[in-house]
């Protein structure tokens, strides 16, 4: 057989082994943009008695909306999607290429676990893969699409990547087989109930639920554009938002340019909304505390805020807090949780965040809620408050009186009353220089645009 015919035969074997996964890759990338890495790599698996064509993973370079990406796609058609040391080595090689080119990474994962028979070798391979992914964190964006069922240590990538996408009625991710997890807990749950996107949304692992690969690709392109391009032209720089004058139903995400707001992790602590988007063409990350009466701080929502501030820090995005926050929830469960540890980690993250930090008090900023999310001494570069905001030590007269319970001196009780009532007006904070301006809610976007333009110069 001549060399050309042999090449064609071998290429067809590789294509046949990866027909399904290559179709999935084409779903998310620009047409004809895929350039494959190590396409002819394979090894012999003695346990299965067959070759691992392409090592059970397809890797390469492609574009999405013209932007460069490195693609890692596990092939479940080879050895049941089992992970091997060679499989991991091929992925690591792709990640090293992404690092050299400063290209974002997309993982399409589908794996039933490790290839039986490799023993400790595959554990070493997984260690090298997980470490390399961790080393890329904050250097290049990493997007993970759960493209089927993902069990075992590969699932740890979801804890490392910046954004995780779950396909409705298809994606399942778990640290072990869902059947094993269910049996250990004496229940009989479906795979989706154990490791589906909605179930893991409460574990802060689901960034987005999508209906298919195409929707995932659209969101990835939109997010990558925000992370990679700081400023775009914008014609609408002086628009007011009359809807924000309605205190009963304020949708703070309206401050973002139309069509640019992307909320991450809706299901996990939904009282804290983490939104990426553009304000006057400027890319920004906004933490929006959404509750009519103010949000109490607990270990989960402050951890969500910390992770989001870390994302802003990694990609040098301005960080904006829209504050409607009370202090720490006063109950035994919260007191015995990691809330103080997480609050301390949030403070450390803010201190290391070098991009502009802006605070907008939209509702309440009470006690620790003010300290963490609005205080000048916490490093916020610019702070404004809505005219109907409340900034105080205590949320109510009753709260102040509880704090001073047992105090016999009437002067102290009068002081408590003063802190609870008179000093809650944001004017008092402005008198001390802690609030730069008090604004009409409808005009907040204009103030933010002007502030961002100033701070980014």
């Amino acid at each position: 057989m001549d060399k050309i015919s042999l090449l064609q035969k071998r290429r067809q074997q590789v294509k046949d082994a990866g027909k399904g996964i290559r179709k999935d890759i084409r779903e998310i990338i620009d047409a004809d943009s895929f350039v494959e890495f190590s396409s002819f790599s394979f090894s012999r698996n003695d346990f299965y008695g067959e070759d691992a064509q392409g090592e059970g993973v397809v890797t390469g370079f492609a574009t999405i909306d013209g932007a460069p990406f490195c693609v890692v796609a596990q092939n479940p058609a080879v050895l049941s999607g089992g992970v091997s040391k060679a499989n991991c080595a091929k992925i690591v090689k792709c990640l090293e290429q992404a690092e050299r080119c400063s290209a974002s990474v997309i993982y399409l994962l589908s794996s039933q676990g490790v290839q039986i028979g490799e023993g400790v070798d595959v554990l070493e391979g997984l260690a090298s893969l997980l470490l390399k992914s961790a080393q890329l964190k904050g250097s290049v964006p990493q997007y993970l699409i759960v493209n089927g069922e993902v069990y075992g240590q590969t699932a740890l990538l979801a804890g490392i990547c910046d954004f995780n996408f779950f396909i409705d009625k298809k994606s399942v991710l778990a640290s072990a087989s869902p059947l094993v997890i269910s049996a250990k807990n004496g229940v009989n749950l479906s795979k989706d109930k154990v490791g589906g996107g909605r179930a893991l949304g409460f574990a802060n692992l689901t960034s987005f639920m999508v209906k298919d690969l195409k929707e995932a690709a659209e969101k990835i392109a939109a997010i990558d554009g925000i992370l990679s391009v700081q400023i775009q032209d914008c014609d609408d720089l002086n628009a007011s938002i009359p809807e924000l004058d309605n205190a009963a139903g304020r949708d703070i995400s309206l401050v973002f340019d139309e069509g640019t707001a992307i909320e991450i992790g809706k299901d996990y602590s939904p009282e804290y909304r983490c939104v990426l988007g553009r304000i006057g063409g400027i890319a920004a990350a906004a933490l929006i505390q959404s509750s009519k009466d103010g949000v109490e701080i607990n270990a989960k929502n402050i951890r969500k805020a910390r992770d989001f501030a870390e994302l802003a820090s990694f990609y040098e995005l301005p960080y904006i807090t829209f504050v409607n926050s009370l202090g720490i929830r006063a109950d035994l469960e919260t007191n015995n949780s990691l809330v103080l540890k997480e609050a301390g980690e949030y403070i450390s993250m803010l201190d290391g965040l070098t991009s502009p930090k802006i605070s907008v008090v939209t509702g309440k900023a009470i006690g620790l809620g003010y300290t963490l999310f609005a205080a000048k001494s916490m490093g916020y570069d610019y702070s404004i408050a809505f005219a109907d905001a409340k900034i105080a030590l205590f949320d109510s007269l009753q709260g102040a009186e509880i704090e001073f319970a047992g105090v016999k001196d009437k002067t102290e009780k009068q002081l408590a009353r003063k802190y609870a009532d008179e000093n809650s007006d944001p004017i008092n904070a402005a008198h001390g220089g802690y609030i730069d301006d008090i604004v009409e809610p409808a005009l907040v976007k204009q103030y933010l645009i002007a502030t961002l333009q100033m701070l980014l110069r």
Side-chain angles (χ1 to χ4, degrees), residues 26 28 51 83 90 122 134 151 156 164 169 176 178 257 272 289 308 319 324 327 359 383 395 398 416 420:
R26 289 195 296 272
I28 66 171
D51 292 336
V83 177
K90 186 173 178 179
V122 69
Y151 305 145
L156 279 170
N164 300 320
K169 299 179 181 178
D257 300 343
Y272 277 25
Q289 295 165 341
F308 191 57
Y319 180 62
N324 188 14
S359 173
S383 300
D395 188 29
Q398 288 75 24

Side-chain angles (χ1 to χ4, degrees), residues 106-127:
I106 297 178
Y107 301 86
L108 282 164
L109 297 189
S110 180
S111 172
Q112 297 289 312
V114 299
Q115 289 186 20
I116 299 173
E118 286 210 356
V120 177
D121 286 344
V122 69
L123 297 181
E124 286 288 343
L126 281 162

Side-chain angles (χ1 to χ4, degrees), residues 268 296-303 328-344:
Y268 185 79
E296 292 181 309
I297 297 168
N298 60 44
K300 289 184 177 180
N301 58 34
I302 194 64
R303 177 54 190 254
I328 293 177
R329 181 179 297 162
D331 60 25
L332 191 60
E333 180 184 357
T334 305
N335 188 66
N336 292 339
S337 72
L338 293 172
V339 64
L340 296 178
K341 177 75 172 177
E342 296 294 355

Side-chain angles (χ1 to χ4, degrees), residues 135-266:
Q135 289 171 342
L136 287 186
K137 192 170 179 67
S139 175
V140 298
Q142 296 182 82
Y143 305 89
L144 186 154
I145 302 174
V146 183
N147 193 38
E149 299 176 18
V150 179
Y151 305 145
Q153 291 189 33
T154 311
L156 279 170
L157 285 169
I160 300 173
C161 290
D162 299 298
F163 307 96
N164 300 320
F165 296 80
F166 284 74
I167 302 170
D168 197 18
K169 299 179 181 178
K170 179 181 180 180
S171 300
V172 182
L173 182 139
S175 57
S177 166
L179 293 175
V180 173
I181 293 173
S182 292
K184 290 255 185 184
N185 286 273
V187 293
N188 184 19
L189 297 175
S190 66
K191 295 176 183 178
D192 188 61
K193 293 291 185 183
V194 175
R198 288 184 173 80
L200 293 179
F202 299 104
N204 201 22
L205 284 174
T206 305
S207 304
F208 302 98
M209 286 293 303
V210 295
K211 64 179 183 294
D212 53 28
L213 287 171
K214 183 177 180 182
E215 184 182 353
E218 289 171 352
K219 286 192 177 294
I220 289 171
I223 294 169
D224 214 66
I226 291 169
L227 299 184
S228 60
V229 180
Q230 183 87 79
I231 301 174
Q232 289 183 346
D233 291 336
C234 181
D235 298 326
D236 194 13
L237 298 179
N238 295 305
S240 63
I241 310 172
E243 297 94 325
L244 294 183
D245 282 335
N246 178 14
R250 286 175 176 154
D251 180 5
I252 299 299
S253 62
L254 291 172
V255 301
F256 286 99
D257 300 343
E258 186 175 356
T260 69
I262 304 170
E263 184 174 356
I264 304 165
K266 289 182 180 181

Side-chain angles (χ1 to χ4, degrees), residues 230 272-276 279 283-289 301-302 304-313 316-322 346 349-350 353-360 372-374 379-382 448 452 455-456:
Q230 183 87 79
Y272 277 25
R273 299 178 61 197
C274 298
V275 182
L276 297 176
I279 302 175
L287 176 71
I288 302 172
Q289 295 165 341
N301 58 34
I302 194 64
K304 184 176 184 179
R306 192 206 76 84
D307 288 346
F308 191 57
E310 181 180 60
L311 181 72
S313 176
E316 300 182 340
L317 296 174
Y319 180 62
I320 306 171
T321 57
F322 290 91
Y346 179 75
M349 182 54 59
L350 279 185
L353 205 163
T354 58
S355 55
K357 296 184 283 289
I358 301 170
S359 173
V360 183
L372 292 179
F373 302 111
Y380 289 95
D381 300 291
Y382 196 79
L448 286 173
L452 288 167
L455 293 175
L456 286 173

